[in-house]
Amino acid sequence: MSVLTARPPAVPAASGTGPRLAAVARRLRPPVGWRYLGGRLLTGLVAVWGAATLVFFALYSTGNPALLLIAPDAPPEEAARLTAQLGFDRPVAVQYVSFLGAAVRGDFPDSLRYGADPVGIALERLPASLQLGFAGLALGILVGGTIGYVSATARSAFWRRVPLSFVVGLDAIPTFFFGILVTLVFAVNLGWLPATGGTGPAGLVLPALTLAVAFVPAIARVLRTAVLDTLGADHVRTARAKGLSRHVLVRRHVLGNSLGPTLSVVGIQAGVLLGGAVVTESIFGWPGIGQLSINAVQNRDYPLVIVCVLVIAVGFVLINLLVDVLAAIAEPRLRS
């Protein structure tokens, strides 16, 4: 019994070799593992497939789009000929399988309205949407982050409560109403900025401001909560007991630990950069993929609608993946 329970003698390690090798291994280890990236990409592919499938069956359940391409008084033979030519006379299941094959190959049928490759048409509008989306997100992060930080760290009760009240009020304003309001004030009454059709820096101000309204409340609330939670952590109390000033404490120990949950919310908000800008692009006539999607739906241009949805869904997945990786780097506990 004593032989079975006896421990083998410890082998002395080379002096300093183990810690040094462990330190080198930690430095060479990638911040996010391939397993984490693979899982996120697989989830993103399922999301893209689900979005495209839902839109496909929703569109094809509304009727025959070929009837929009002919005159109302055209004979039935002409409608039947065009329907067969475009392939809309086949069963929906057959069209769905054909659609999946085209999506995998990237070979979609031509746009019914423009008569050209819908992928090229959608990608041509993509830079304008990205420009508007990132301007709105940057403005939302700046304003929301400032409000969240001030409301969490201010000593005055006024600065802790007033910014929060502003956020609550901002959250209650619909995006389209805010867009119309700033257009009336800054474009119609004051004449400082263009109301619609502007593509330069001046034309970007009002759409970006309208889009940022959707980002500010969530970012402000999450950052405020994260900062307050971190301020109550043990290591922060220890640092405070050692005499560290409040500003240095927040800058060194609080902000970095609060970025993980905040980046996760930014990722969710960033996902609406392309799809969520539809209303804003429509209000201000911004030539992005959101306005193109609305026009395609109105014209029942099915190939273009599906391609726009795919571009928005892929953009949503990639932006969320990028933000998730940044959040995992900032907060390793999120990798699990």
Side-chain angles (χ1 to χ4, degrees):
M1 186 66 180
S2 61
V3 174
L4 293 176
T5 56
R7 295 181 178 178
V11 179
S15 176
T17 303
R20 281 201 298 270
L21 288 178
V24 171
R26 282 196 299 270
R27 291 176 182 175
L28 295 178
R29 188 173 57 185
V32 177
W34 291 110
R35 185 176 180 181
Y36 178 84
L37 289 177
R40 297 294 300 164
L41 283 175
L42 183 61
T43 306
L45 287 177
V46 173
V48 171
W49 169 77
T53 300
L54 286 176
V55 172
F56 176 88
F57 284 104
L59 288 176
Y60 279 80
S61 63
T62 59
N64 183 6
L67 299 179
L68 295 177
L69 303 179
I70 59 176
D73 56 348
E77 294 79 10
E78 178 63 18
R81 185 195 63 79
L82 190 58
T83 300
Q85 179 182 346
L86 296 176
F88 293 123
D89 59 334
R90 297 175 297 171
V92 176
V94 176
Q95 295 186 49
Y96 177 67
V97 174
S98 176
F99 157 71
L100 289 181
V104 172
R105 298 190 305 271
D107 182 21
F108 294 94
D110 289 345
S111 164
L112 299 181
R113 177 178 175 81
Y114 299 97
D117 181 18
V119 177
I121 298 173
L123 294 181
E124 187 179 352
R125 300 290 191 95
L126 188 59
S129 291
L130 290 177
Q131 182 186 17
L132 172 60
F134 282 113
L137 182 62
L139 188 59
I141 293 174
L142 178 64
V143 177
T146 303
I147 291 176
Y149 175 79
V150 170
S151 61
T153 59
R155 297 179 183 276
S156 167
F158 175 83
W159 288 110
R160 287 199 306 269
R161 295 172 182 173
V162 170
L164 279 182
S165 302
F166 173 74
V167 165
V168 172
L170 203 61
D171 203 12
I173 301 177
T175 301
F176 73 92
F177 181 78
F178 186 84
I180 295 173
L181 184 65
V182 294
T183 301
L184 287 175
V185 174
F186 295 103
V188 177
N189 293 335
L190 299 177
W192 291 350
L193 298 167
T196 59
T199 55
L204 184 62
V205 174
L206 292 183
L209 183 63
T210 303
L211 194 60
V213 170
F215 301 137
V216 169
I219 294 173
R221 279 197 288 261
V222 172
L223 181 61
R224 177 180 179 274
T225 303
V227 169
L228 289 176
D229 289 343
T230 309
L231 282 173
D234 293 338
H235 70 282
V236 174
R237 287 201 296 267
T238 303
R240 186 181 299 163
K242 291 181 179 178
L244 212 61
S245 69
R246 185 177 180 84
H247 292 293
V248 175
L249 183 70
V250 170
R251 190 175 66 251
R252 290 184 181 177
H253 299 286
V254 176
L255 279 181
N257 294 324
S258 305
L259 288 181
T262 307
L263 283 175
S264 298
V265 173
V266 170
I268 297 173
Q269 298 294 317
V272 304
L273 285 182
L274 299 179
V278 171
V279 176
T280 305
E281 291 183 3
S282 300
I283 293 174
F284 295 98
W286 190 260
I289 196 170
Q291 191 182 36
L292 179 67
S293 303
I294 291 181
N295 294 335
V297 170
Q298 292 174 344
N299 296 321
R300 298 181 70 178
D301 191 345
Y302 291 3
L304 186 55
V305 172
I306 292 176
V307 167
C308 287
V309 170
L310 281 176
V311 170
I312 292 173
V314 171
F316 180 90
V317 169
L318 293 180
I319 291 173
N320 272 273
L321 177 63
L322 175 63
V323 177
D324 283 347
V325 170
L326 294 177
I329 293 174
E331 180 55 76
R333 289 177 299 178
L334 295 177
R335 300 175 195 178
S336 59

